[in-house]
Amino acid sequence: MSITVKDVEHVANLARLELSDADKEQFTDQLNAILKYAEKLNELNTDGIEPTSHVLPLANVMREDTVKPSLPIEKVMLNAPEEEDGQFKVPAVLE
C-alpha cells in the first residue's frame, strides 16, 4: 500500500486545506515513509508475545464508585445565586 499525491489532495480537500505542489509531494513522501516503517514492523517475530494495548503496565487509579449520602438541599442552595423551587436559577442561554 502506498499513498499517492491524489490521496493527499483528497484528504487536504476534506480538511479544506490548500496545499502547494511542493507540500503535496512532501506529505506524500512522509506518509509513504510512515507506511514503510509500519510494514517493517510486520517482519518482527512476535511468536510467544502476548498482545498488549500499552507498552508500560498501567493500573486504574480511579477509586471505586460508592454511594454516599448527598448534602441536604437547604445547604446546597446556600451557594445558589438564585433559587426557584429547590433548583438553581440561571439566566436563559437559549431563546
Side-chain angles (χ1 to χ4, degrees), residues 17-49:
L17 295 174
E18 190 172 320
L19 301 177
S20 68
D21 288 342
D23 288 339
K24 292 174 192 175
E25 285 295 329
Q26 178 185 2
F27 293 139
T28 301
D29 292 343
Q30 289 176 343
L31 290 169
N32 279 317
I34 292 169
L35 287 178
K36 186 176 177 183
Y37 183 76
E39 288 173 4
K40 189 169 182 71
L41 295 175
N42 287 332
E43 298 172 9
L44 296 173
N45 181 4
T46 57
D47 293 341
I49 298 181

Side-chain angles (χ1 to χ4, degrees), residues 11-86:
V11 173
N13 184 46
L14 291 174
R16 300 186 189 279
L17 295 174
E18 190 172 320
L19 301 177
S20 68
D21 288 342
D23 288 339
K24 292 174 192 175
E25 285 295 329
Q26 178 185 2
F27 293 139
T28 301
D29 292 343
Q30 289 176 343
L31 290 169
N32 279 317
I34 292 169
L35 287 178
K36 186 176 177 183
Y37 183 76
E39 288 173 4
K40 189 169 182 71
L41 295 175
N42 287 332
E43 298 172 9
L44 296 173
N45 181 4
T46 57
D47 293 341
I49 298 181
E50 292 195 28
T52 59
S53 59
H54 298 285
V55 175
L56 301 174
L58 298 176
N60 188 355
V61 294
M62 306 292 282
R63 64 171 168 72
E64 289 295 320
D65 192 16
T66 56
V67 178
K68 295 182 179 178
S70 299
L71 294 171
I73 193 71
E74 299 81 19
K75 192 170 185 176
V76 171
M77 286 301 136
L78 292 175
N79 290 325
E82 285 190 61
E83 179 253 336
E84 183 175 304
D85 299 328

